[in-house]
Coordinates of all heavy atoms in Angstrom, one line a residue:
G109 N 2.9 -7.1 -13.4 CA 2.2 -8.3 -13.5 C 3.2 -9.5 -14.1 O 3.0 -10.6 -13.7
I112 N 5.5 -10.6 -11.4 CA 4.8 -11.3 -10.4 C 4.6 -12.7 -11.0 O 4.7 -13.7 -10.2 CB 3.6 -10.6 -9.9 CG1 3.9 -9.3 -9.2 CG2 2.7 -11.6 -9.0 CD1 2.6 -8.5 -9.0
R158 N -8.6 -13.6 19.9 CA -8.4 -14.1 18.6 C -9.7 -13.6 17.7 O -10.8 -13.5 18.3 CB -8.4 -15.6 18.5 CG -7.2 -16.2 19.3 CD -7.3 -17.8 19.4 NE -8.4 -18.3 20.1 CZ -8.5 -19.5 20.7 NH1 -7.4 -20.2 20.6 NH2 -9.6 -19.9 21.3
E197 N -8.8 -9.0 -18.7 CA -8.5 -10.2 -19.6 C -9.1 -11.5 -19.0 O -9.6 -12.3 -19.8 CB -7.1 -10.3 -20.0 CG -6.5 -8.9 -20.7 CD -7.2 -8.8 -22.0 OE1 -7.5 -9.7 -22.7 OE2 -7.4 -7.6 -22.3
G217 N -19.3 10.2 -4.6 CA -18.4 11.0 -3.9 C -18.3 12.4 -4.4 O -18.1 13.4 -3.6
L294 N 0.6 9.5 -11.6 CA -0.2 8.8 -12.7 C -0.5 9.9 -13.8 O -0.5 9.5 -15.0 CB -1.6 8.6 -12.1 CG -1.6 7.1 -11.3 CD1 -3.1 7.0 -10.8 CD2 -1.3 6.0 -12.3
G443 N -7.5 -12.5 27.3 CA -6.5 -12.4 26.4 C -5.3 -11.5 26.9 O -4.0 -11.7 26.7

Side-chain angles (χ1 to χ4, degrees):
I112 293 170
R158 299 175 295 202
E197 297 296 327
L294 277 181

